[in-house]
Amino acid sequence: MDSIELKICNIIDKHRQELIDFGRDIWNHAELGFQEYRTAGRFADKMKGLGLKTQENLALTGVKSYLSNIQGGPNICLMGELDGLPIPTHKNANPDTGAAHCCGHNAQLTGVLGAAIALSDLEVRPYLDGNVIFFAVPAEEYVEIEKRGEMKDQGLIRYGCGKSELLRLGEMDDIDIVVGHHATTKKQYLVANRTCNGFITKIVRFEGLAAHAAGEPSHGIDAMSAANIAMHAVDVQRESFRDSDTVRVHGFISRGGEAANIIADDIRLEYSIRGKTIPSYIDAGLKVDRSMRAGAEAVGCGLSITTLPGNLPIVPVKDASVVAEALALVSGDTPVTISGPDAHSTSSGDYGDVSSIMPLLQFNTGGFRGALHTPDLQEDDLDDAYVIPAKVFALIAYKLLKNGGDRARAIIDSFEAILTKEKYIKLMESMLTTENIPIKQLPLLDSYQ
């Protein structure tokens, strides 16, 4: 380590207990996307306490703080996510929200806080030839889809995830490079410079006609039967998906019938359709639409299909060595693994949207046990969970901005965006569609006589 790197790590070590307390507080008070008011408030208070210019209520709950007002240097954004997952059975779930941080976002947020503490130190700041933006962003997890559809209809949001909204609103226009983190349960650190799936979401409603299921079933139109046919039709499409596209189609019944002896008149489904490329999941989405229409046509149900844009696939950068170097400085006996552009993950996230427009650097660290996105995820090593991410965030920012910001500029110059912001918005808007098919009620049997 050089003297400034050592200084950064020592500052963070001195604030170790503060960071652990902050991370555990967020862990015990998880909130769901676009509703993270307490979490955002706690982060904003910390940023203001460091004397940083801070903006709040961005895309409802986002918090954006600036290290300085330097103009002309690269702007490096250290980003953490505010939201948890709807897992009310987790032992540390927030009883007021039903949310739990089974995604480890509380560790990201703590890491950004720790980096802000270190980089705002008066002995460190002069070595940063550029600006650092500390950004707490809402709604990475694409959950509560029906609620987000309602929020869209109310004009509160336009897209379903926080970074997508922030891009649309122009709140990321002054950022040159984004640095992100994810928690893991593995005993290793990872340079996460791989590709991943993108996806779209479908909200489907079958409208039937209620009737007494035992006494007069011929008077009804069974929306559950339509949904059953549609779901089977989706299943028989799967052999048409190319293996190379890593397509994933998964859904569930978000609203079922009222009782076994009532013909169901309102059945709702939600589907996520993922793929390695935009064309692959658009194609799969059209096949899901076709399957829904088949179920409605067979039974005579009305049908509505609302398509919402999800996230885009991640575009790796050409050189992520700065991440590997930062991890190596703090890894000790923990192995550092490099996941490069040839690797692919079938999961998704709204960092993909960011990476389509600007360079994205990502790293993973541990500190948790169990399985992510399940009720059995638990904190394990508190230093790994909360202190190490802070050091890595800060070290990456320093390495990018020292010496005139030459490494940051090299990454920016070599990056080939696949979309401009304007083309990104146009693409997202093209995925916002609604299709309605009216109910097709045949005359009752008695009318034929």
Side-chain angles (χ1 to χ4, degrees):
M1 288 190 186
D2 68 25
S3 61
I4 299 304
E5 290 167 342
L6 186 60
K7 178 75 173 176
I8 286 170
C9 291
N10 286 340
I11 292 169
I12 290 171
D13 284 336
K14 288 178 181 177
H15 289 268
R16 173 184 178 273
Q17 195 58 52
E18 177 186 353
L19 295 177
I20 290 173
D21 290 345
F22 179 85
R24 302 211 71 227
D25 177 68
I26 303 303
W27 169 261
N28 287 309
H29 296 89
E31 298 171 296
L32 295 172
F34 294 120
Q35 304 160 75
E36 315 97 324
Y37 297 105
R38 181 189 184 277
T39 309
R42 292 276 287 121
F43 183 82
D45 288 345
K46 290 289 188 180
M47 294 298 105
K48 293 173 187 176
L50 294 171
L52 303 184
K53 174 187 173 184
T54 298
Q55 300 173 355
E56 299 180 71
N57 305 315
L58 306 178
L60 298 183
T61 55
V63 180
K64 183 180 184 183
S65 297
Y66 294 83
L67 183 63
S68 68
N69 294 315
I70 292 175
Q71 301 295 321
N75 291 329
I76 309 303
C77 176
L78 308 184
M79 189 170 281
E81 294 153 352
L82 292 161
D83 60 325
L85 285 161
I87 304 183
T89 55
H90 190 277
K91 76 172 190 177
N92 298 104
N94 185 340
D96 295 328
T97 64
H101 272 297
C102 301
C103 46
H105 291 179
N106 63 311
Q108 299 173 4
L109 208 59
T110 304
V112 175
L113 168 60
I117 292 171
L119 297 177
S120 61
D121 183 85
L122 294 179
E123 294 183 24
V124 175
R125 276 200 196 197
Y127 293 89
L128 304 175
D129 297 319
N131 203 353
V132 184
I133 297 169
F134 308 100
F135 212 153
V137 301
E140 188 272 338
E141 304 290 353
Y142 206 135
V143 296
E144 293 192 302
I145 294 171
E146 193 166 343
K147 180 177 181 62
R148 294 192 189 176
E150 293 171 356
M151 294 175 76
K152 172 185 168 294
D153 292 341
Q154 295 166 7
L156 297 174
I157 60 174
R158 182 72 178 164
Y159 306 143
C161 283
K163 299 183 194 69
S164 310
E165 276 292 279
L166 292 164
L167 286 168
R168 178 183 72 86
L169 294 168
E171 299 298 346
M172 297 183 67
D173 288 355
D174 59 353
I175 294 171
D176 295 311
I177 298 175
V178 170
V179 183
H181 164 262
H182 208 285
T184 179
T185 58
K186 297 179 180 178
K187 301 296 184 181
Q188 66 178 36
Y189 300 153
L190 175 69
V191 179
N193 191 37
R194 61 194 175 199
T195 61
C196 77
N197 277 4
F199 76 98
I200 54 174
T201 292
K202 305 281 183 179
I203 302 174
V204 181
R205 181 190 178 203
F206 291 98
E207 180 187 2
L209 186 64
H212 193 302
E216 295 181 317
S218 60
H219 288 201
I221 299 175
D222 195 344
M224 180 60 79
S225 294
N228 283 332
I229 293 169
M231 289 186 288
H232 178 64
V234 170
D235 287 340
V236 301
Q237 305 286 338
R238 296 184 190 277
E239 67 178 12
S240 72
F241 303 146
R242 299 183 305 189
D243 292 345
S244 60
D245 289 329
T246 63
V247 171
R248 301 287 188 271
V249 177
H250 39 276
F252 75 107
I253 300 173
S254 58
R255 177 170 177 171
E258 301 298 332
N261 63 349
I262 301 173
I263 298 294
D265 63 349
D266 186 359
I267 301 294
R268 304 184 192 189
L269 312 179
E270 292 179 10
Y271 270 89
S272 287
I273 300 103
R274 304 177 192 266
K276 189 173 185 178
T277 65
I278 295 171
S280 69
Y281 62 79
I282 294 296
D283 173 76
L286 294 174
K287 291 174 181 176
V288 170
D289 291 347
R290 189 170 63 195
S291 300
M292 298 299 117
R293 293 190 206 104
E297 178 66 24
V299 179
C301 278
L303 171 68
S304 70
I305 305 172
T306 299
T307 302
L308 300 173
N311 303 143
L312 302 188
I314 281 182
V315 180
V317 296
K318 294 179 180 178
D319 180 12
S321 59
V322 66
V323 180
E325 292 170 18
L327 287 169
L329 289 176
V330 299
S331 61
D333 296 331
T334 303
V336 176
T337 302
I338 297 175
S339 178
D342 292 336
H344 181 73
S345 169
T346 53
S347 61
S348 307
D350 56 358
Y351 273 124
D353 300 62
V354 172
S355 73
S356 68
I357 298 174
M358 65 190 69
L360 170 70
L361 300 171
Q362 291 193 95
F363 67 97
N364 292 7
T365 58
F368 294 85
R369 68 178 185 272
L372 291 166
H373 286 223
T374 72
D376 58 331
L377 185 80
Q378 289 296 327
E379 299 168 302
D380 188 17
D381 185 320
L382 297 182
D383 286 283
D384 239 12
Y386 302 124
V387 180
I388 292 296
K391 292 180 179 180
V392 179
F393 266 127
L395 290 169
I396 290 173
Y398 166 66
K399 286 177 175 293
L400 289 172
L401 292 179
K402 71 177 183 177
N403 298 328
D406 55 351
R407 296 190 74 174
R409 295 181 194 280
I411 291 172
I412 295 165
D413 291 344
S414 66
F415 180 70
E416 298 175 3
I418 65 169
L419 294 170
T420 62
K421 188 183 84 171
E422 292 71 26
K423 289 182 178 179
Y424 168 75
I425 292 173
K426 184 176 181 180
L427 174 63
M428 296 291 278
E429 290 296 315
S430 73
M431 298 181 193
L432 274 171
T433 61
T434 300
E435 176 181 355
N436 291 296
I437 298 174
I439 194 168
K440 297 177 180 178
Q441 185 174 0
L442 295 175
L444 295 175
L445 286 172
D446 293 344
S447 66
Y448 292 106
Q449 300 173 355

